[in-house]
Amino acid sequence: MKNIKKTALILGATGLVGNELGKLLLQQKNYEKIHLLVRRPITSNNSTCEVHVVDFEQLHTYKELFQVTDVFCCLGTTIKKAKSKKAFRKVDYEYPVEAAKMACESGAEKFLIITAMGSNPKSRIFYNQVKGEVEESISKLTIPSIHIFRPSLLLGKRDEFRFGEKIAEKASILLNLIMVGPLRPFKAIEAKNVAAAMASMARTGKSGVNIYPSHEIERIAKENN
Ligand SMILES: NC(=O)c1ccc[n+]([C@@H]2O[C@H](COP(=O)([O-])OP(=O)(O)OC[C@H]3O[C@@H](n4cnc5c(N)ncnc54)[C@H](OP(=O)(O)O)[C@@H]3O)[C@@H](O)[C@H]2O)c1
């Protein structure tokens, strides 16, 4: 097999999972270039990483940045933060689908995205519905290898304070103790394990559309790291 070094692009690299993912991909040393698409300036002191502050409303104008082998999408917001359903949908549906289309057009081999447990385009819950729709739209594209990660509640240290998630996180520490057997899929998961599973599946030659529920993400992360 030819030993061609890969190139990556991460959308959402400033987020809880995206930040862990960037660090992991650097550690693995199998990417010769990692482009980070961000909306606010960040510093990187590693020459493998290139930070690009972009206007996500104009993603289509950054075609050259999508000339990579692997595209990772860790974008996301909450309705509370976005302030409207429309604005939420932009971040969780429109930008990821636009990115996936550009990845497809530029011949990327892999597209890896985080959605959420309960993603379902027919869900009555708006969040799950949008997550299901993004999965559906991306799965129709002819990217050779698509990986969809559906985590449950994410655990990890955030700069911002999210009251609802903080309460859920505290409760989940106790609940995780009893989340065994049929309850295992609902167990909260460390953001770094989601990142590890993404990095791990990017190393495999698995083709087609692959969907990973939360407990499967946890298993992949533990087996491969
Ligand atoms: N939180 C949970 O418990 C949970 C559970 C299941 C699934 N998920 C999903 O998992 C994924 C990753 O979650 P996370 O907690 O790591 O996300 P996060 O920490 O909130 O990070 C989200 C990323 O998206 C970027 N972003 C948000 N709004 C944007 C906008 N308008 N334009 C451009 N970029 C924008 C953020 O940039 P800035 O840093 O500039 O804001 C950040 O890089 C998301 O899709 C989320 O829905 C989360």
Side-chain angles (χ1 to χ4, degrees):
M1 202 172 91
K2 280 189 280 178
N3 188 18
I4 300 173
K5 274 227 172 185
K6 304 198 295 172
T7 46
L9 181 150
I10 307 178
L11 300 110
T14 52
L16 191 60
V17 179
N19 180 42
E20 293 288 348
L21 179 67
K23 288 191 276 185
L24 258 181
L25 297 188
L26 273 178
Q27 273 168 27
Q28 285 177 1
K29 295 192 191 315
N30 53 349
Y31 288 92
E32 62 184 8
K33 188 58 76 188
I34 303 172
H35 297 283
L36 310 178
L37 257 67
V38 291
R39 62 171 168 168
R40 57 185 167 95
I42 51 165
T43 47
S44 164
N45 47 17
N46 190 303
S47 60
T48 305
C49 276
E50 254 179 48
V51 177
H52 309 269
V53 179
V54 302
D55 176 359
F56 280 78
E57 284 294 295
Q58 306 295 330
L59 262 190
H60 61 279
T61 61
Y62 304 96
K63 277 201 177 102
E64 73 288 354
L65 299 178
F66 285 77
Q67 307 279 336
V68 294
T69 56
D70 303 352
V71 175
F72 298 86
C73 183
C74 305
L75 285 174
T77 188
T78 58
I79 298 174
K80 193 173 169 210
K81 251 179 112 174
K83 298 193 170 53
S84 70
K85 285 185 173 178
K86 191 168 176 240
F88 169 82
R89 199 181 154 80
K90 268 203 168 164
V91 182
D92 283 70
Y93 178 86
E94 289 177 26
Y95 299 162
V97 172
E98 178 74 38
K101 283 183 180 162
M102 289 172 74
C104 186
E105 278 161 22
S106 61
E109 290 161 21
K110 294 191 175 76
F111 189 87
L112 304 96
I113 182 168
I114 314 164
T115 58
M117 181 162 75
S119 298
N120 179 352
K122 294 196 173 72
S123 175
R124 288 197 195 152
I125 302 165
F126 180 71
Y127 178 86
N128 291 348
Q129 186 195 324
V130 173
K131 293 293 195 185
E133 283 172 5
V134 78
E135 290 184 352
E136 198 173 57
S137 296
I138 288 170
S139 300
K140 285 182 186 150
L141 298 173
T142 54
I143 300 169
S145 173
I146 294 174
H147 300 266
I148 295 170
F149 298 82
R150 289 180 176 170
S152 61
L153 178 74
L154 293 176
L155 302 176
K157 239 178 141 224
R158 283 184 195 281
D159 291 339
E160 87 194 88
F161 182 73
R162 294 183 181 177
F163 183 72
E165 281 181 15
K166 209 70 214 161
I167 299 285
E169 186 176 327
K170 295 262 186 247
S172 75
I173 294 168
L174 291 174
L175 283 172
N176 272 1
L177 298 172
I178 55 160
M179 292 285 191
V180 290
L183 294 179
R184 204 163 55 99
F186 302 98
K187 230 175 127 178
I189 183 167
E190 291 285 344
K192 64 178 186 322
N193 284 343
V194 179
M198 292 178 94
S200 168
M201 296 326 286
R203 292 196 299 270
T204 70
K206 248 183 155 186
S207 60
V209 178
N210 305 276
I211 299 181
Y212 310 98
S214 209
H215 60 288
E216 183 68 10
I217 299 174
E218 185 110 40
R219 187 193 61 74
I220 297 167
K222 294 214 164 117
E223 270 181 22
N224 294 279
N225 294 284

